[in-house]
Amino acid sequence: MKGLIRSVVNLYTSPYASVIFRWAVGLIFIYASMDKLLHPSAFAVAVYNYKILPGSLINLVAITLPWVELICGILLLIGLFPRATALILSILLLLFFSALSISLYRGIDISCGCFAVTTTVDKIGISYMVRDLLVLAMSVQILFFDGNLMSIERLLPTSYR
Amino acid sequence: MAAKGKVPIFHQVIIILLFSLGMGLITNALRSPPLPLIGNWFKGTSSLNVGRNISTVSIEEAVVKFITQDALFLDARSRADYQLGHIKGALNLPVHDEDFGERLHEFVLEVNHDRELIVYCEDIDPTLSPELASILTSMGYKKVKILANGWSEWNVAAMPFEVDR
């Protein structure tokens, strides 16, 4: 049993795992940004429906957040600023987790607005929180164990890394 | 954890966030119509003054828009009130009903942002229209107007209505 745990820990902390996680999280966030970038108004409604943010901030979030997701996704894929990107995404994923928890606790029946905002059928549930935690686990791994493998940062002069 | 080189991790975070903010603001400004930067989503819940920047239409103007089909009528009252009778062809966006968020979401996906919208309610609760109009304006709808005391005025003018059974 101890051996198994050690293997899992070794696997999780491996810099090779970071490369796979970077690509996975990168693609997830690029995909997540697309529909929101194309339909900011629908995304604003999805944010409004959570009834968490003050009304004056909703539009700024709807305008900026999809770009944060897209840019972070691209940066992870190419391996530029991976740790800073993972830090931003980990904080975002924690905020998303909190928003989902609050909404489920309040018992409000709303669309997630996580990926597609042009549908009203993806109602939030526990599975969305589990999914969020899985992506968070990958993001945190990148933050702490990224080894700059397969990354564009390798091409930069050492002083800029 | 911190980068060893010239750009510390927190500076990188700030660069990424500022760049995203910049891209968001630029692309939004280029969008037609852009989303207002500062929304006014919740102002209506406690104040009668909400929507004071939103213009009203007279019943005469509303009748003309109805006949020419230039505007889409939106009923801000509850679903129950709407079903008892509403302006013919009006959509229901019951601003105080539980499923309002979902209906609003469906609405934004279906109705073009250039569409002229006339919001109405009833004098029993005159805050509903301004509240809905304020939300629609926050969503980027540019041509939102209020027909004050709309349902009663519509009936006085003996204009077509519908009842949902």
Side-chain angles (χ1 to χ4, degrees), chain B residues 61-62 76 148 153 155:
Chain B
E61 286 171 278
E153 293 278 346
N155 285 311

Side-chain angles (χ1 to χ4, degrees), chain A residues 43 48 53 55-56 69-70 74:
Chain A
F43 181 47
Y48 159 76
L53 280 181
S56 50
E69 293 182 340
L70 177 68
I74 293 170

